[in-house]
Amino acid sequence: WAGVVTDGTAVYALSMDHNVYAFGTQSKDLLWKTDVSGAVAATPILEDGILYIATLNKEALAIDTADGSILWRTDVEDFTWAPPAIVEDMVIVINASGEVFAIHKSEGNVAWTADSNGEVTAAAVSVDGGFVVVNHDMDIILFDLEGNKVWSNDLDYETGSLPSTPVVVGDLI
């Protein structure tokens, strides 16, 4: 279900079979396989040789792309459909219950948590001084880098949801 990512040397594929696979882009050989103890439905984030993932086993993980070793594993208290996002020095993971976890990229410890007030399946999007989250209750929420809600806009439609990652262009969402 999750999309693949590449660094040009390898393609990283996450699977419902609880594994992450790295394949060489030229050789197409399996470079490594890592068991992450849970199915992965959300596309990972790749930054500086580290793959950040969120699982249906209620965890967020950082994996070293050089060898597939798990650098850290953090409990996020519920399964995760939403892809993680990088915001400054944090990995933002939002579980299915809508709880937002700001996890330090380097250590994997939780800096803070916040509530998005609804189910979330879309990645957070970085903006100047914070990030935007959308939930299935049609709320658009701006959080600052300390987890405070700066503002929230309820689109107030009677039907529908916001299951897709928002796009930021200039000062528009």
Side-chain angles (χ1 to χ4, degrees):
W1 290 1
V4 299
V5 293
T6 184
D7 58 11
T9 303
V11 174
Y12 305 98
L14 289 73
S15 177
M16 297 298 280
D17 75 354
H18 300 199
N19 290 297
V20 176
Y21 300 89
F23 297 96
T25 56
Q26 298 301 312
S27 68
K28 300 174 186 61
D29 292 336
L30 178 65
L31 303 175
W32 52 259
K33 173 177 113 174
T34 299
D35 183 347
V36 295
S37 303
V40 182
T43 301
I45 293 291
L46 177 61
E47 183 180 83
D48 298 329
I50 300 174
L51 197 61
Y52 298 96
I53 70 169
T55 74
L56 297 179
N57 193 38
K58 305 177 183 181
E59 294 180 314
L61 295 91
I63 298 173
D64 187 334
T65 59
D67 59 9
S69 60
I70 296 173
L71 302 173
W72 52 256
R73 180 185 303 260
T74 301
D75 179 12
V76 293
E77 299 178 11
D78 199 353
F79 61 89
T80 304
W81 293 111
I86 302 291
V87 178
E88 295 197 4
D89 66 340
M90 295 180 289
V91 179
I92 303 299
V93 175
I94 309 168
N95 69 22
S97 302
E99 190 168 4
V100 179
F101 288 80
I103 303 168
H104 290 286
K105 286 192 313 188
S106 57
E107 304 93 28
N109 58 319
V110 176
W112 51 261
T113 62
D115 187 4
S116 73
N117 299 326
E119 182 182 1
V120 175
T121 56
V125 175
S126 181
V127 296
D128 189 30
F131 59 94
V132 175
V133 172
V134 297
N135 67 28
H136 283 265
D137 293 332
M138 304 292 285
D139 296 323
I140 303 170
I141 306 159
L142 174 65
F143 288 95
D144 67 16
L145 297 175
E146 286 77 45
N148 302 305
K149 288 182 184 174
V150 176
W151 56 257
S152 178
N153 185 355
D154 180 355
L155 296 181
D156 202 26
Y157 291 114
E158 290 184 26
T159 61
S161 66
L162 291 172
S164 299
T165 300
V167 175
V168 176
V169 178
D171 61 352
L172 301 175
I173 300 170

